[in-house]
Amino acid sequence: MRLSAALRHLGLAMMLTTLAACNIAQGTADIIARDQARGVVNDVVAERFPGIDATPVTDCVIDNASAQEILIVAGAAVTGVTEQTSRTVSGILQRPDTVLCISRNALVSLEAFA
């Protein structure tokens, strides 16, 4: 009976280890996709709004994008920016939470000049 309990505990420990490894791999994939998407969004924002610091706007877009949108935009790092990429970024830019984020970041940026 003790061997059976030990095997159950070992099986549980192996499952938890596997789940932890999956979470780490998923987290790494998410970071890579976000980084690639960040580069694409930064280019799109810089093209649409020349002369501004695109970084704070890009951060707001990435923070307000869904996982699917991140993947769509990140794909443009390989395939190039398409009409779908521009529409996706434009849609995220128009969301109230994104607009609010951008306005907050713009105020912080302006404070540096004060």
Side-chain angles (χ1 to χ4, degrees):
M1 193 71 165
R2 288 182 185 231
L3 181 59
S4 176
L7 287 176
R8 275 197 308 261
H9 287 147
L10 178 62
L12 179 61
M14 289 174 57
M15 276 188 352
L16 290 174
T17 302
T18 302
L19 285 174
C22 288
N23 285 340
I24 290 169
Q26 181 62 39
T28 301
D30 184 55
I31 290 168
I32 291 168
R34 285 177 160 274
D35 285 346
Q36 288 190 323
R38 190 175 309 281
V40 171
V41 170
N42 208 56
D43 291 346
V44 170
V45 170
E47 182 180 310
R48 284 185 156 205
F49 307 104
I52 69 161
D53 180 9
T55 304
V57 176
T58 296
D59 292 343
C60 291
V61 169
I62 296 299
D63 290 346
N64 287 286
S66 69
Q68 183 176 1
E69 290 166 329
I70 293 289
L71 291 175
I72 289 168
V73 175
V78 176
T79 62
V81 175
T82 64
E83 183 61 35
Q84 181 184 17
T85 309
S86 294
R87 275 195 316 269
T88 300
V89 172
S90 180
I92 299 165
L93 278 167
Q94 294 176 33
R95 292 182 186 151
D97 287 344
T98 308
V99 172
L100 183 61
C101 176
I102 292 167
S103 68
R104 285 184 190 145
N105 285 345
L107 290 175
V108 170
S109 295
L110 289 175
E111 287 176 357
F113 290 107

